[in-house]
Amino acid sequence: MSFMPPHMTPDRWLGQLFASRAAQRGGVVRRSARDVERIVGCSRFEDEIRRRGFRAVRNGKDYVVFCNREPLHLIE
């Protein structure tokens, strides 16, 4: 069982994510899927990304959030 500080709420976690320097500059942030599921839930996380007009991918154990509205080009 993982520990989450009592002061960490889903709203606070999302606020900190999108207030990060990388997010504010339109960059990329990465968060573990486990933290997303445990703290805010995947549906709410994905809804918040869509609401902001951002895009994200989930690969293995991580979400990668592109904090801008630029097109994505998948390279396989």
Side-chain angles (χ1 to χ4, degrees):
M1 185 165 153
S2 56
F3 174 75
M4 183 169 61
H7 67 276
M8 185 54 64
T9 66
D11 289 335
R12 179 172 282 176
W13 190 88
L14 287 167
Q16 288 177 352
L17 170 70
F18 294 114
S20 70
R21 181 177 291 166
Q24 291 296 307
R25 292 183 176 176
V28 176
V29 294
R30 184 180 72 176
R31 293 296 182 270
S32 79
R34 180 178 176 198
D35 283 352
V36 170
E37 292 165 358
R38 180 174 56 97
I39 299 170
V40 298
C42 293
S43 293
R44 181 166 179 203
F45 180 70
E46 292 172 12
D47 288 345
E48 186 63 24
I49 289 167
R50 286 185 195 99
R51 185 181 77 76
R52 293 171 180 270
F54 297 161
R55 293 186 177 93
V57 295
R58 182 173 177 173
N59 179 258
K61 297 178 181 181
D62 293 307
Y63 275 98
V64 178
V65 182
F66 303 90
C67 300
N68 59 60
R69 296 176 184 205
E70 298 295 322
L72 298 178
H73 301 280
L74 180 61
I75 300 169
E76 295 186 76

